[in-house]
Amino acid sequence: MASSCSQALRHHVCKSSRLLRVHLQKSWTNRSFEGAVCVSSSFALNSAADQQPAVSSPEEIVIPKKKTWSKEAVLQALASTVKRDPTASDYRFQDDPYLTPKTSSEFKLFSLSQESGRNAAKYFINTYPKYFQKDYAQPHIPCLMPDTLEAQIEEVSEAALIERIGMRKVKAAVDLYDQLLQAGTSVSLDVTNQLLDLICFYGDHDPAQENVPEQRNEETEDVQDEPQAKKGRAAKASDLLKATWKEKNNAERIFALLSEPNKHSYSALIRGMVKYGAYSKAFSTYTDLLNSRLKADMHMFNALITAAPEVKEKYNEKWELIVDLLKQMAEQKVRPNLLTLNAVLKALRRCGTVGKSQAFPVISEMKALSIDLSLASYTHLLAIFYKPGAPIQGQTDILQEVMNEVSGKSFTPQDPDDAQFFITAMRICLDTKDMEQAYRVHELLGVGENWRLLGNDFQQNIYYARFFSLLCMMENIDVMLKWYRDLVPSVYYPSSNVMRDLLQALDTDNRLDLIPQIWKDIKQLGHANRQNLVEELLTLMAREKHNQEVQESFAECALDIKKIYDTGDRGKVLLNWTAGSLSDLISVLLAAHRRQDAWDMLKLFKTHNRVPSEELLNKFLMCVKEGGEVNQAVELVQISAGFCLPGTPKLIQRVQQEFELTEQQRKMLSDLEIQSFNSE
Amino acid sequence: MATSLVRKTKLLSMVSSQLNSAACFRNIHCTAACLKNRAARIRVAKGDKPVTYEQAYHPHHIGHRKGWLSQHTSNLQGEDGAAERVVEDVFIRRFMYGTFHGCLADEVVIKRRGNLLLICAVMIQKLLPSKFYFLIGYTEELLSHFYKCPVKIEMQTVEEKVVYKYL
């Protein structure tokens, strides 16, 4: 028995080893490492089991190919198991309640102060680089070394010029170039072209150094003030002073000095002119290029197409110019690329109706040249067909077609206008009130790397504001609140307008009992000092009668609101009472039977010079009757008389009828009656 | 007696001459007194000195009632760099003490994960949050450039120093 078992074992072992050997020899080259191990083990087995005869039908054991994983594979796998935490704030901030931003202004303040701390550290590192030279890191990490900001090569030579171009020092490079020419050394065409590139890219100014505080001297006064009308961009001072192409600047001068400018030089000059607004000059330079029988390149054509809508007035002329340029491009056998397509589409935005008719033919031609559309192309397409503020004419299917094309794909940034896609799409969804497409747009944001294309914090705010407004308008309150809890305040801090939309949505769906919770959020977001928001809140609370517990919560909320209205400890008045808000507050308190609080509030009418309405006093009287406080009723009448309200006689009559008055009170009332009678 | 004395002195001179020869040279090592009985211990006094949990327990309680303030792998078998880590830790503690002056509620805990240096600190809410973030950005950037490895700060704030007992 034992021997037969061992025989069977050896049989099996021989079979498997033989199969191993067969397969190993087949794919020896693929698996060098593990092959070696297996071969050695198979030899060991073979020596033991060589006496047994071979088995006839081998089963195929396919050893799979070894997978190579990237170094971050484990981290990526772990990361894919974790979804966004809706209760946490942004990753930039510390996870502590004191250090978490609660409003959008705090968000900006904290992230900016962290950045300025970094800049302060960078300043120290670059000013005292000798303390940071010791290199512990293997492999070397270049971004953790101090920056070399000073040019090393001092003597006047071409190498020094190349160095300054590499360090982006525009003025220093131009000065050095002039020195070189004066000294008589000729500078090669390549280096001159690089210099031209540098000047044209930066528009003849030194790029703003991030850490060095801006030095305002005479040079900045030359720059013309051309404030770009980009809506509400959080503008720094340097952004507002957008440079324009000056007359007789260094680029043109150096270009003129060149004996034989080649197409690279022309290209740099034209692109610089277009970037900084000298459009007609760009076209004249282009004609010079054609006259000197040089060929243009793709970047030049892209720049010219961008400039085309600026030089012509009428839509047809603009389009004809663009078509002309494209034809010349075809003649010179320059292949267009994605940026060409985007430039054409962007220009078509300015072409009105011509744009609408020509957009799709352009796209199909470009597709025939196998240019894939990027998000910027879709943005321009949507902007051509959906002009902001224009009435919708039944073109809702274009957005749907675009979303069909785009859904499920992950895009990489290829054009600076890619970041406008989500905002534009959400604006269109808001204008056309299309909830389904809005959900698809939001879903696209979650695909792959698309979150990078949402833009900076400001654009993110705009996107979410539009999304929320749409949700408030279209969806019912439960869905709305689900999104609200998911996104606020971890991703988005709503503005006061969005909170008003939310209140209206609550009103529409009859969920006014949620108002106290929303008020807490409003306070936390820092909108508690907005007059119209608070007044609207009070009006909604005071409008209808609800059941007892809701009224209680409303009363608590109302007292909370009252605290905001009272002057702060420094005497600063945050909000002003109006007659409407006071009345609403008192009605809410009365509805919850908080008579004492309401009575105190009534005094405030006098102090703040506001006049109470008749119905408020009637309501108050009813409440007072329930409590049976006769003195209060008389005082109420006196107050009403004090304001010379027209309803005073009726009030007096009611009090006389409904209450049991003492002699004194009766006399007072009759006096008041006569008084009010006389005043009429 | 005299002979034994002479023998002893002869023996002593023989020994000292042998000692002076190059083969067996032994120097006397002098260090400052280590005072192991007094390190990191706050002695019991009148009863009005507030003391945190970290300060209240003595070094022999580490591993039993206290954790470690500095966590790295250089003390394992076959790993090197322990001395460098100690020097780095001392520098980091002094740096944090000086940069966040008066705000530290307790000792700084330093953890090393891979090449990431994680500095965990508990702060008193003495400064505005924006000022805290300024100092955090500054510290992270400066220490990253200094030690050529990513440095992250994890901060927690408390309203006042947490007193464990009064000694």
Side-chain angles (χ1 to χ4, degrees):
Chain A
M1 256 280 274
S3 60
S4 65
C5 278
S6 61
Q7 216 180 44
L9 192 63
R10 267 185 295 169
H11 194 76
H12 183 75
V13 160
C14 169
K15 184 166 94 173
S16 53
S17 68
R18 166 136 336 201
L19 289 166
L20 264 177
R21 223 170 8 133
V22 163
H23 281 283
L24 280 170
Q25 277 160 8
K26 263 194 220 162
S27 45
W28 173 260
T29 47
N30 284 352
R31 292 183 295 281
S32 51
F33 171 69
E34 50 185 13
V37 173
C38 294
V39 163
S40 59
S41 62
S42 71
F43 280 156
L45 289 168
N46 265 335
S47 56
D50 243 344
Q51 297 90 27
Q52 299 293 330
V55 177
S56 46
S57 58
E59 297 139 8
E60 289 286 323
I61 302 179
V62 179
I63 302 174
K65 275 208 178 127
K66 178 176 179 170
K67 260 188 174 174
T68 47
W69 296 99
S70 74
K71 291 201 177 116
E72 300 97 33
V74 175
L75 290 174
Q76 281 171 350
L78 285 172
S80 67
T81 61
V82 181
K83 301 263 181 315
R84 190 180 70 83
D85 180 9
T87 58
S89 64
D90 200 56
Y91 68 90
R92 289 171 246 202
F93 302 115
Q94 301 290 329
D95 191 12
D96 182 69
Y98 183 69
L99 296 174
T100 313
K102 295 187 187 57
T103 72
S104 63
S105 48
E106 272 187 13
F107 184 97
K108 209 161 133 184
L109 178 66
F110 293 171
S111 44
L112 284 177
S113 39
Q114 195 163 16
E115 267 312 302
S116 71
R118 292 217 176 97
N119 288 343
K122 272 210 145 61
Y123 169 74
F124 280 113
I125 293 164
N126 292 332
T127 321
Y128 303 102
K130 63 179 180 203
Y131 299 117
F132 297 92
Q133 299 291 356
K134 188 162 178 193
D135 195 9
Y136 300 95
Q138 281 159 1
H140 179 66
I141 305 177
C143 70
L144 290 179
M145 301 298 287
D147 296 333
T148 40
L149 289 177
E150 298 302 321
Q152 306 286 13
I153 311 178
E154 283 305 321
E155 76 264 357
V156 178
S157 72
E158 212 169 292
L161 183 59
I162 294 177
E163 194 195 4
R164 277 167 185 71
I165 293 175
M167 293 173 72
R168 308 283 187 261
K169 291 180 183 289
V170 176
K171 287 204 172 24
V174 170
D175 290 338
L176 192 63
Y177 182 78
D178 289 334
Q179 282 179 1
L180 278 173
L181 283 187
Q182 275 176 3
T185 44
S186 67
V187 188
S188 68
L189 192 56
D190 276 337
V191 179
T192 321
N193 279 341
Q194 283 181 26
L195 179 63
L196 271 177
D197 276 338
L198 182 73
I199 302 176
C200 294
F201 185 79
Y202 286 113
D204 212 11
H205 304 282
D206 268 317
Q209 298 288 336
E210 283 173 17
N211 307 329
V212 177
E214 283 182 7
Q215 281 134 8
R216 303 219 155 237
N217 41 20
E218 294 84 56
E219 290 151 272
T220 54
E221 286 167 20
D222 291 349
V223 174
Q224 287 170 19
D225 226 282
E226 204 184 286
Q228 285 286 328
K230 261 210 161 162
K231 242 192 317 185
R233 206 155 70 106
K236 295 183 287 193
S238 51
D239 284 352
L240 280 176
L241 300 170
K242 185 160 190 241
T244 52
W245 190 260
K246 295 199 289 270
E247 292 285 333
K248 301 182 197 10
N249 63 8
N250 286 321
E252 291 181 10
R253 181 173 61 89
I254 294 178
F255 185 77
L257 288 173
L258 278 176
S259 52
E260 291 180 6
N262 71 350
K263 78 172 182 190
H264 191 117
S265 343
Y266 272 106
S267 168
L269 198 61
I270 290 179
R271 287 161 81 187
M273 284 174 175
V274 170
K275 181 170 176 177
Y276 288 99
Y279 304 113
S280 26
K281 268 208 190 164
F283 274 99
S284 47
T285 318
Y286 178 62
T287 23
D288 287 343
L289 171 81
L290 290 177
N291 289 344
S292 38
R293 288 193 183 70
L294 286 172
K295 296 257 179 196
D297 67 359
M298 177 181 61
H299 301 291
M300 212 187 306
F301 275 115
N302 290 347
L304 286 170
I305 293 174
T306 318
E310 311 278 350
V311 293
K312 299 281 183 195
E313 292 297 326
K314 291 210 185 140
Y315 296 154
N316 320 2
E317 289 177 18
K318 292 185 197 182
W319 176 240
E320 276 162 23
L321 182 56
I322 295 176
V323 171
D324 199 31
L325 282 169
L326 287 171
K327 283 201 186 123
Q328 288 179 22
M329 202 168 167
E331 268 172 28
Q332 301 187 17
K333 305 223 180 355
V334 175
R335 240 190 127 69
N337 76 342
L338 174 67
L339 294 174
T340 322
L341 168 63
N342 287 345
V344 174
L345 286 174
K346 195 167 181 180
L348 280 176
R349 277 167 84 158
R350 314 262 309 259
C351 288
T353 42
V354 177
K356 289 190 195 176
S357 50
Q358 297 295 335
F360 281 109
V362 168
I363 293 181
S364 26
E365 275 197 39
M366 293 289 178
K367 274 200 181 156
L369 289 166
S370 62
I371 297 178
D372 284 323
L373 298 181
S374 79
L375 280 182
S377 341
Y378 292 114
T379 314
H380 297 313
L381 194 61
L382 286 173
I384 291 173
F385 284 94
Y386 295 94
K387 296 267 185 266
I392 316 294
Q393 285 150 354
Q395 290 152 354
T396 49
D397 42 352
I398 299 214
L399 179 61
Q400 204 163 6
E401 280 177 33
V402 168
M403 288 315 299
N404 287 343
E405 285 264 340
V406 164
S407 293
K409 289 194 211 160
S410 174
F411 288 93
T412 52
Q414 286 162 313
D415 184 304
D417 287 324
D418 282 341
Q420 304 291 330
F421 175 73
F422 286 103
I423 303 185
T424 318
M426 199 46 84
R427 165 179 71 81
I428 294 169
C429 291
L430 184 61
D431 287 339
T432 56
K433 313 250 187 306
D434 195 341
M435 201 63 231
E436 195 191 309
Q437 299 306 321
Y439 280 137
R440 286 176 85 182
V441 172
H442 195 71
E443 220 179 285
L444 184 63
L445 204 51
V447 174
E449 300 280 305
N450 290 348
W451 60 270
R452 293 177 198 273
L453 293 171
L454 190 51
N456 59 12
D457 293 326
F458 186 72
Q459 287 169 320
Q460 208 177 359
N461 252 338
I462 299 178
Y463 172 80
Y464 280 112
R466 289 179 178 158
F467 186 48
F468 263 95
S469 311
L470 189 60
L471 275 174
C472 287
M473 255 196 285
M474 302 296 295
E475 287 283 2
N476 70 357
I477 196 66
D478 293 319
V479 175
M480 170 68 219
L481 283 176
K482 181 181 80 81
W483 279 107
Y484 182 77
R485 277 186 207 106
D486 192 37
L487 291 175
V488 173
S490 49
V491 171
Y492 171 56
Y493 297 96
S495 63
S496 57
N497 294 336
V498 175
M499 295 312 285
R500 284 181 74 181
D501 287 342
L502 181 61
L503 285 176
Q504 278 171 9
L506 285 177
D507 190 15
T508 322
D509 266 348
N510 258 332
R511 291 297 307 273
L512 291 174
D513 51 317
L514 292 171
I515 285 187
Q517 289 175 20
I518 304 290
W519 166 246
K520 268 199 222 118
D521 286 341
I522 291 178
K523 255 202 313 189
Q524 201 189 40
L525 287 167
H527 294 311
N529 53 359
R530 307 268 174 178
Q531 186 104 3
N532 21 6
L533 186 60
V534 179
E535 283 178 11
E536 191 162 327
L537 199 73
L538 284 171
T539 321
L540 280 176
M541 280 203 291
R543 214 174 49 189
E544 289 151 8
K545 198 119 174 73
H546 302 269
N547 64 14
Q548 190 54 34
E549 20 177 272
V550 176
Q551 289 296 155
E552 271 301 313
S553 58
F554 278 8
E556 293 293 329
C557 189
L559 286 172
D560 207 23
I561 296 179
K562 173 170 173 275
K563 280 193 214 120
I564 308 271
Y565 271 97
D566 292 336
T567 44
D569 32 327
R570 268 177 273 165
K572 197 170 64 149
V573 177
L574 289 170
L575 289 172
N576 284 320
W577 286 112
T578 63
S581 56
L582 263 181
S583 321
D584 290 329
L585 223 159
I586 295 180
S587 327
V588 173
L589 288 172
L590 285 176
H593 306 293
R594 305 261 184 127
R595 252 194 320 273
Q596 191 49 43
D597 296 319
W599 189 251
D600 297 330
M601 298 252 16
L602 207 56
K603 308 274 175 43
L604 282 177
F605 270 109
K606 193 81 188 196
T607 38
H608 290 272
N609 289 331
R610 302 269 180 265
V611 181
S613 63
E614 259 185 59
E615 44 178 293
L616 179 69
L617 291 175
N618 279 331
K619 238 192 278 189
F620 216 112
L621 194 64
M622 262 195 299
C623 265
V624 168
K625 195 168 84 156
E626 283 172 26
E629 278 283 323
V630 184
N631 292 335
Q632 273 193 357
V634 176
E635 270 186 58
L636 203 66
V637 175
Q638 280 176 334
I639 291 173
S640 168
F643 281 113
C644 299
L645 288 178
T648 316
K650 266 186 264 161
L651 211 59
I652 296 176
Q653 273 181 0
R654 273 188 69 186
V655 172
Q656 283 171 338
Q657 283 167 2
E658 293 168 14
F659 286 84
E660 295 173 11
L661 301 163
T662 64
E663 266 310 312
Q664 221 179 4
Q665 287 168 340
R666 227 178 268 279
K667 192 160 155 308
M668 224 182 332
L669 279 178
S670 46
D671 282 342
L672 283 172
E673 204 172 351
I674 298 168
Q675 217 178 30
S676 59
F677 190 68
N678 285 342
S679 66
E680 273 172 32
Chain B
M1 237 246 319
T3 45
S4 66
L5 251 170
V6 165
R7 234 188 318 165
K8 276 195 186 128
T9 49
K10 267 208 187 136
L11 198 61
L12 197 61
S13 61
M14 211 164 50
V15 164
S16 57
S17 65
Q18 276 188 354
L19 279 175
N20 282 334
S21 69
C24 49
F25 223 114
R26 246 176 130 186
N27 294 323
I28 298 176
H29 236 186
C30 295
T31 59
C34 283
L35 289 179
K36 288 191 299 190
N37 302 331
R38 302 201 66 92
R41 284 160 211 266
I42 297 190
R43 305 273 158 174
V44 175
K46 279 221 180 356
D48 54 355
K49 186 162 51 175
V51 139
T52 62
Y53 187 93
E54 192 67 46
Q55 292 165 330
Y57 284 105
H58 297 161
H60 62 268
H61 289 127
I62 292 178
H64 303 275
R65 299 184 202 177
K66 287 208 297 190
W68 280 265
L69 289 178
S70 169
Q71 298 176 1
H72 54 85
T73 57
S74 350
N75 284 329
L76 297 175
Q77 164 85 352
E79 301 287 336
D80 55 355
E84 285 90 2
R85 302 291 92 77
V86 170
V87 173
E88 283 170 19
D89 282 358
V90 171
F91 179 82
I92 291 170
R93 283 174 210 286
R94 281 173 191 247
F95 188 87
M96 292 297 286
Y97 181 72
T99 312
F100 294 89
H101 197 78
C103 297
L104 278 176
D106 207 344
E107 295 286 336
V108 170
V109 173
I110 301 177
K111 305 182 188 180
R112 287 179 177 78
R113 293 181 192 151
N115 84 336
L116 173 68
L117 191 66
L118 198 59
I119 302 175
C120 311
V122 182
M123 301 277 173
I124 306 173
Q125 289 168 2
K126 194 172 148 187
L127 300 173
L128 286 176
S130 52
K131 295 201 205 277
F132 269 124
Y133 277 111
F134 179 86
L135 291 175
I136 289 173
Y138 165 77
T139 311
E140 284 187 354
E141 190 74 13
L142 200 78
L143 289 179
S144 303
H145 281 255
F146 193 59
Y147 285 123
K148 310 289 180 235
C149 64
V151 173
K152 293 236 179 322
I153 293 189
E154 290 207 354
M155 191 181 277
Q156 188 199 338
T157 56
V158 286
E159 295 201 3
E160 327 172 311
K161 244 184 180 177
V162 183
V163 177
Y164 179 65
K165 59 185 186 186
Y166 289 90
L167 286 181

